[in-house]
Amino acid sequence: MSLSPSRRPGIRAAMFVDFDNVYTGLLALDPVAAKRFAEDPKHWADALSAGGTAENSRRFLVRNCYLNPVVYSKYRAYWTRAGFRVIDCPSLTQQGKSSTDINLVLDAMDALSGSVGIEEFFIASADADFTSLIQRFRAADRMTTVIAAGPVAFAYREMADSVVESHDFIAILNQSTAEPIRAVSTNGTAPVNGPAAPKGRPLSPAVKEVTALIRSAAGPVVGAMVAHRALAADPSLKSDWGGHGKFGTWVAQLGKGIEYSPARGGWVWDAKRFSSADLPQDTEPEPGIEEQVARVTDVPSLSTAQFRQMFIALENRLREHPVNRNELAKQVRDDCVSAGQPVSRAAVNFVIQGLGYAHFELTDTSTAAQLATAWTHNVEELCRVALMEFDDDERRALRRWASGGFLES
């Protein structure tokens, strides 16, 4: 009796890496991470492949890397040794535009129409030119994940099923051992196609602390404050929030009458006493500009006072001693919570990334005003790219808000 071969376990996936885009993006944020990306692709590729079970792991049937051989040929050997097919994409114009886009799209469409049945497509690039490609994947009912090392256009981000943010990717690159990378869902829900959630995590101390805090609060509590108290009670949650990936997902599943909303930076409340109608209203001057900018550009929806406190905390921490970016974001988050202006670690990371995109070097002489100015210029550039137009009053309101009041005119 003959036995028909069974299909091998694991999600059938394909990865397409725009080397030039990712490498230059990482250089602006963390040169050490950029070097590890270029010279040890097996490390993070294995982290992408890993999963909790055979069924949840990924099998990359296609691993393509597209690079400009004139500039980056020295990295070719690292990628071929890691099992990637390296496609040369030299500059074809006087402006230096390479042929990466067309080669990547053609290969991706071949993989989409192939007989293997790729289930998940990874595009490692922050280039919004690939938005149409992501649309084709979705139309064919395939999962899509974007690995970003730079600012991501809103439409590109929303079209993808999940996004591995710059700071998450850098954290993986800077770790000494490969761990599974969990794609962060664009709608803030649980990871897409990620490893199975670990079981048996000791969540009870954090649950007890959060429940007591919410039950005794005089109103909804800002999410950053709740997260700070939960981590203080149970530091083991810091890695992946008990298998839920994000704080919002973890706190939303607690039940016990505890409600969560990601609105205006995230809020948690006791559903027996309060509702979403009790969330604080925006009291900023010229209401509407901040909300509009946050919605279109993904700039954190913080108040002027929260931005100001963040820049002050950044100045103080940078003056004390140089630290890596992940540790800096945690320290600034904690300082803002202690000062009564709680912000999330993700918001701090977003601002630090923006400073990198604005080519502002973080040093021990950086002042809060300088940080605020550079960040505001980055916000204005994000608005320009998004084709947002403002009159003079709106522009002044935008600058005052984004700078935390350091730019009043």
Side-chain angles (χ1 to χ4, degrees):
M1 182 178 64
S2 61
L3 296 176
S4 58
S6 61
R7 184 180 294 276
R8 294 176 59 189
I11 299 167
R12 299 184 299 280
M15 177 160 42
F16 303 89
V17 181
D18 182 348
F19 182 95
D20 302 28
N21 181 277
V22 177
Y23 182 71
T24 55
L26 289 173
L27 276 179
L29 297 173
D30 190 325
V32 174
K35 179 179 175 64
R36 289 174 176 167
F37 162 78
E39 297 183 356
D40 190 11
K42 185 178 186 301
H43 170 84
W44 58 267
D46 286 349
L48 277 171
S49 300
T53 65
E55 289 74 18
N56 287 327
S57 65
R58 298 183 179 95
R59 293 170 49 227
F60 282 102
L61 307 184
V62 178
R63 290 189 182 191
N64 286 0
C65 173
Y66 304 82
L67 59 75
N68 186 335
V70 177
V71 183
Y72 300 117
S73 61
K74 63 181 180 181
Y75 298 118
R76 170 189 290 276
Y78 298 111
W79 290 73
T80 55
R81 185 177 61 189
F84 280 79
R85 171 176 170 244
V86 178
I87 296 91
D88 287 340
C89 300
S91 298
L92 301 178
T93 67
Q94 292 181 344
Q95 290 74 31
K97 178 68 174 178
S98 75
S99 57
T100 290
D101 290 9
I102 186 62
N103 281 317
L104 190 155
V105 169
L106 289 173
D107 288 343
M109 291 305 297
D110 285 344
L112 178 63
S113 60
S115 59
V116 174
I118 299 296
E119 299 171 286
E120 186 175 13
F121 286 83
F122 281 73
I123 304 295
S125 177
D127 190 345
D129 288 349
F130 294 121
T131 302
S132 296
L133 180 62
I134 298 292
Q135 289 176 326
R136 293 297 295 271
F137 293 152
R138 286 181 66 90
D141 194 23
R142 310 299 168 86
M143 297 298 297
T144 58
T145 296
V146 168
I147 302 175
V152 183
F154 188 76
Y156 185 37
R157 175 190 299 275
E158 289 300 302
M159 188 55 61
D161 289 299
S162 54
V163 177
V164 178
E165 301 286 359
S166 302
H167 55 85
D168 293 322
F169 193 38
I170 288 173
I172 292 296
L173 290 168
N174 285 338
Q175 288 172 355
S176 59
T177 58
E179 296 182 1
I181 291 181
R182 298 187 174 194
V184 181
S185 173
T186 56
N187 61 13
T189 58
V192 177
N193 281 349
K199 298 181 179 179
R201 289 286 184 96
L203 295 178
S204 54
V207 172
K208 183 183 298 184
E209 178 69 20
V210 168
T211 302
L213 171 65
I214 300 305
R215 291 281 187 267
S216 62
V221 183
V222 69
M225 177 71 75
V226 179
H228 180 72
R229 295 282 288 271
L231 291 174
D234 185 359
S236 71
L237 290 175
K238 183 170 65 174
S239 61
D240 64 355
W241 286 100
H244 296 282
K246 300 176 68 175
F247 165 73
T249 309
W250 175 80
V251 75
Q253 56 81 43
L254 291 181
K256 304 178 183 299
I258 295 176
E259 297 287 341
Y260 169 78
S261 170
R264 291 188 288 279
W267 290 86
V268 186
W269 65 89
D270 181 355
K272 295 181 180 179
R273 298 182 295 139
F274 307 104
S275 70
S276 58
D278 296 302
L279 296 181
Q281 300 300 310
D282 189 358
T283 59
E284 295 293 318
E286 291 85 20
I289 292 299
E290 300 88 343
E291 181 181 354
Q292 181 183 3
V293 171
R295 184 172 64 249
V296 174
T297 66
D298 282 343
V299 169
S301 183
L302 304 178
S303 68
T304 299
Q306 286 173 312
F307 273 125
R308 187 179 190 86
Q309 185 59 49
M310 188 188 302
F311 298 131
I312 292 172
L314 271 170
E315 175 186 338
N316 293 336
R317 285 297 178 178
L318 289 170
R319 187 185 299 124
E320 288 180 3
H321 55 79
V323 293
N324 65 61
R325 204 188 67 176
N326 285 328
E327 185 65 20
L328 177 62
K330 175 182 179 298
Q331 292 175 346
V332 170
R333 187 273 313 276
D334 292 345
D335 290 346
C336 289
V337 170
S338 299
Q341 294 293 341
V343 300
S344 68
R345 187 172 179 178
V348 180
N349 268 317
F350 194 98
V351 171
I352 294 175
Q353 286 179 196
L355 292 170
Y357 301 146
H359 305 293
F360 184 88
E361 184 178 359
L362 300 177
T363 69
D364 57 2
T365 60
S366 301
T367 67
Q370 291 171 339
L371 292 162
T373 300
W375 161 250
T376 302
H377 289 164
N378 177 68
V379 173
E380 291 179 319
E381 177 62 15
L382 290 175
C383 292
R384 185 192 66 80
V385 172
L387 303 179
M388 300 183 70
E389 298 182 357
F390 307 110
D391 59 29
D392 290 342
D393 289 340
E394 291 172 332
R395 188 172 293 105
R396 282 192 290 269
L398 170 64
R399 289 179 176 176
R400 179 184 181 279
W401 166 65
S403 70
F406 281 102
L407 298 180
E408 291 289 347
S409 61

